[in-house]
Amino acid sequence: GDIRPALDHRHLIADLIPTGATVVMFGNPGSGKSFAALDMGLHIAAAREWMARAVERGGVVYVAAEGPGGFRLRIEAWRRGHAPPSDIPFPLIP
């Protein structure tokens, strides 16, 4: 009876990713998991609204477990479409 929900915590992406959370995405191959995760991470690092949700800026370390080749192209396309500052905290680990 003493357990109450914490409703006042901060989010990296409003009402989706709480600050300090571990996020796991899973689904069928080719369903867009990696694309969505990369897009979320870049928006968090650049402090840009994501899918009409407020974003709190934070450093993102992205581990490209399936190889870095396509990710470099996706990141470049994202840069061209969003024109972020050059110093966003987003290291990519192949």
Side-chain angles (χ1 to χ4, degrees), residues 10-12 17-23:
R10 295 176 15 221
H11 285 83
L12 291 173
I17 301 177
T19 302
T22 298
V23 177

Side-chain angles (χ1 to χ4, degrees), residues 13-83:
I13 298 178
D15 300 322
L16 187 64
I17 301 177
T19 302
T22 298
V23 177
V24 176
M25 297 176 73
F26 60 94
N28 292 327
S31 62
K33 301 175 302 290
S34 297
F35 182 80
L38 182 66
D39 190 48
M40 287 178 185
L42 287 165
H43 277 82
I44 291 168
R48 299 282 173 89
E49 187 177 85
W50 185 81
M51 304 291 281
R53 295 175 185 264
V55 170
E56 181 176 326
R57 186 176 190 179
V60 175
V61 177
Y62 196 96
V63 179
E66 60 267 12
F71 281 93
R72 293 177 193 278
L73 293 173
R74 288 180 184 175
I75 291 169
E76 181 58 26
W78 191 91
R79 277 188 193 132
R80 291 180 185 193
H82 293 86

